Amino acid sequence: MRYKPEHKQATRDRIVAAAGRLFRRQGYQGTGVDAIMSEAGLTPGGFYAHFASKEALLLETLSRCLGERAASISQAVASDDPFTAMIQRYLCALHRDDPGTGCPLPNLAAEISRLTPGARGKFTAALEHYLADVQSLMPGVSPSKRRERAIATLSTLMGAMTLARAVSDKALSEEIFESVRHALLPAQKARPMSPTTARKKPRRR
Amino acid sequence: MRYKPEHKQATRDRIVAAAGRLFRRQGYQGTGVDAIMSEAGLTPGGFYAHFASKEALLLETLSRCLGERAASISQAVASDDPFTAMIQRYLCALHRDDPGTGCPLPNLAAEISRLTPGARGKFTAALEHYLADVQSLMPGVSPSKRRERAIATLSTLMGAMTLARAVSDKALSEEIFESVRHALLPAQKARPMSPTTARKKPRRR
DNA sequence: TGTACATCAGTGAACGCGCGTTCACTGATGTAC
DNA sequence: TGTACATCAGTGAACGCGCGTTCACTGATGTAC
């Protein structure tokens, strides 16, 4: 063996990371294998030594992205109001204008619905893990009520982000955030983060 | 002139109707001009006598689809509880399993966010019309509060539908509907429509 | 009323291009002696 | 310690295919005489 065993794994990780950025920015169909390999600093030919197909890469990318978000949420539980904190971080201009990091659902969920049932099954498993972690920071008494609220909150957040990115009017985009904050949070917590506050508490990656 | 003036307009309408079905089912990038023309009973060559580009057709299709939905909502205002009726009709298996008719947002909004600002401006205008009609059936006193609720409700509905279509598990898909019904409606109204009820009040087209 | 004709809606083949995937190869690497 | 070598991660050109778009044409139509 003339390469250390972790060498190929590191390259594979770079490809998944590159795909994570491009798929979330441009969508699945909008991103070519060539572009992903180029983003990873590689040439296109090597792709199939790492993945069976572009679709297989998408599923691995989704699992990783959702897993990373779940992990960052779990760590936010340490905050004194993790539910409000999560919503404020989700519904902000930084998240809207940089889809390459952040939640993969707004830009990819619709394309997932057109994949084969098997592929959608892998996505479903990753989504369940994510949901379990959102549920864990949900206020509420019974686990079933918290799961219910986690599902509804995630639906609302991803729908709002999708709309906010689609409209051309920045004011309407902010109004979408504001309306959803009011719907999800008690009145006194629904203030948007000021740029100053956002700078003091930068988003961990 | 050897064709009646309405002849070409009728063909154009057929193309827009065909595009409405295919774009909503397969997405924008997932639908070819050839497939649209074939769905309309035509050959591909004639397309550019009607539209400047595939993107121009998308924008016209979106305006029409959102306009049709707005119209059907306005007519639902006649019902005794239009808000509940709208939500029950949105969050149902028929809507989920037949994306070709119904709301264009779940399957197309993410792709709109990747278009040029000009194109997104046309979409934004159509969305504002739709929002105005959703607002009109919103319970609540002040218009600004009703608009706020209309925006949040639409975000939630389209996010929930996108997720419900993406997951492979029918039970989870139903659980998403149920969770969102509970979040949006008072408890006693949040029952899903039974198949019998759904048959008695079929969806108008 | 009947026919020749000008119009233009729609046809169908072709275009250049980028896609996902394949494959013969190259050359950097750790090992064996 | 130094060198020859086997391995295989990564290269780069090529593949068939479908895409959005163009264009020379065909033939159904309503009109003019």
Side-chain angles (χ1 to χ4, degrees):
Chain A
M1 207 187 304
R2 65 275 44 77
Y3 282 90
K4 290 181 181 168
E6 57 268 28
H7 179 97
K8 191 171 183 182
Q9 181 61 42
T11 303
R12 187 189 164 95
D13 287 348
R14 261 175 35 235
I15 298 172
V16 175
R21 291 188 291 276
L22 297 188
F23 282 152
R24 280 181 281 188
R25 274 188 215 133
Q26 309 169 1
Y28 175 61
Q29 288 182 112
T31 305
V33 170
D34 285 31
I36 294 166
M37 293 301 276
S38 176
E39 170 90 4
L42 296 163
T43 50
F47 180 82
Y48 293 89
H50 292 280
F51 302 95
S53 66
K54 187 190 172 190
E55 185 180 295
L57 170 63
L58 172 68
L59 294 171
E60 189 149 333
T61 301
L62 280 168
S63 295
R64 184 188 282 203
C65 291
L66 287 172
E68 279 169 7
R69 289 199 66 76
S72 86
I73 277 175
S74 298
Q75 118 190 19
V77 172
S79 147
D80 57 312
D81 188 349
F83 178 65
T84 301
M86 182 196 78
I87 284 167
Q88 296 289 23
R89 283 188 184 190
Y90 200 108
L91 298 176
C92 73
L94 278 80
H95 188 196
R96 180 194 62 205
D97 298 335
D98 183 17
T101 63
C103 182
L105 295 175
N107 265 344
L108 288 169
E111 290 182 282
I112 293 163
S113 73
R114 291 167 217 135
L115 301 179
T116 59
R120 285 158 55 217
K122 288 195 179 180
F123 162 76
T124 306
L127 183 69
E128 283 284 13
H129 280 120
Y130 186 32
L131 269 177
D133 277 6
V134 175
Q135 182 181 348
S136 74
L137 58 69
M138 224 62 201
V141 274
S142 75
S144 75
K145 217 29 187 177
R146 287 192 287 124
R147 176 169 165 94
E148 207 177 272
R149 287 200 62 197
I151 290 173
T153 303
L154 191 61
S155 297
T156 304
L157 291 177
M158 69 145 285
M161 184 54 75
T162 308
L163 284 182
R165 284 176 179 156
V167 300
S168 60
D169 182 354
K170 285 250 166 175
L172 177 55
S173 165
E174 287 296 336
E175 193 189 357
I176 292 167
F177 289 163
E178 199 61 13
S179 299
V180 169
R181 277 190 212 105
H182 279 134
L184 292 179
L185 296 173
Q188 77 280 5
K189 290 180 181 169
R191 302 283 115 242
M193 275 199 293
S194 72
T196 333
T197 317
R199 213 174 289 122
K200 278 185 195 162
K201 295 188 176 185
R203 189 117 152 286
R204 302 284 153 83
R205 303 236 36 257
Chain B
M1 204 188 308
R2 67 274 37 78
Y3 281 90
K4 292 181 181 169
E6 58 268 27
H7 179 99
K8 191 172 184 182
Q9 182 61 43
T11 303
R12 187 189 164 94
D13 287 349
R14 256 169 46 228
I15 298 172
V16 176
R21 290 187 292 274
L22 296 187
F23 282 151
R24 281 182 281 189
R25 273 187 215 136
Q26 310 169 2
Y28 175 61
Q29 290 181 111
T31 305
V33 170
D34 284 31
I36 294 166
M37 292 301 276
S38 176
E39 170 88 5
L42 296 163
T43 51
F47 180 82
Y48 293 88
H50 292 280
F51 302 95
S53 66
K54 187 190 172 190
E55 185 180 295
L57 171 62
L58 172 68
L59 294 171
E60 188 149 333
T61 301
L62 280 168
S63 295
R64 182 187 285 204
C65 290
L66 287 172
E68 280 169 7
R69 289 198 66 77
S72 86
I73 277 175
S74 299
Q75 118 190 19
V77 171
S79 146
D80 56 314
D81 187 348
F83 178 65
T84 301
M86 183 197 77
I87 284 167
Q88 297 288 23
R89 282 189 186 189
Y90 200 107
L91 298 176
C92 72
L94 278 79
H95 187 195
R96 180 193 62 204
D97 299 334
D98 184 17
T101 62
C103 183
L105 296 174
N107 266 345
L108 289 169
E111 290 183 283
I112 293 162
S113 73
R114 292 167 217 135
L115 300 180
T116 59
R120 285 158 53 218
K122 289 195 179 180
F123 162 75
T124 306
L127 183 68
E128 283 285 12
H129 279 120
Y130 186 32
L131 268 177
D133 278 7
V134 175
Q135 181 182 348
S136 75
L137 58 69
M138 225 61 201
V141 274
S142 75
S144 75
K145 214 40 190 166
R146 285 190 288 125
R147 176 169 166 94
E148 209 177 271
R149 288 199 64 196
I151 290 173
T153 303
L154 191 61
S155 298
T156 304
L157 291 177
M158 66 146 286
M161 184 53 76
T162 309
L163 285 181
R165 284 176 180 156
V167 300
S168 59
D169 182 355
K170 285 252 168 177
L172 176 55
S173 165
E174 287 296 337
E175 193 189 359
I176 292 167
F177 288 163
E178 198 62 12
S179 300
V180 169
R181 275 190 214 107
H182 279 134
L184 293 179
L185 295 174
Q188 77 280 5
K189 290 180 182 168
R191 301 283 116 241
M193 276 201 291
S194 72
T196 332
T197 316
R199 212 175 290 124
K200 276 184 193 164
K201 296 189 174 186
R203 188 120 151 285
R204 301 284 153 84
R205 302 236 37 256

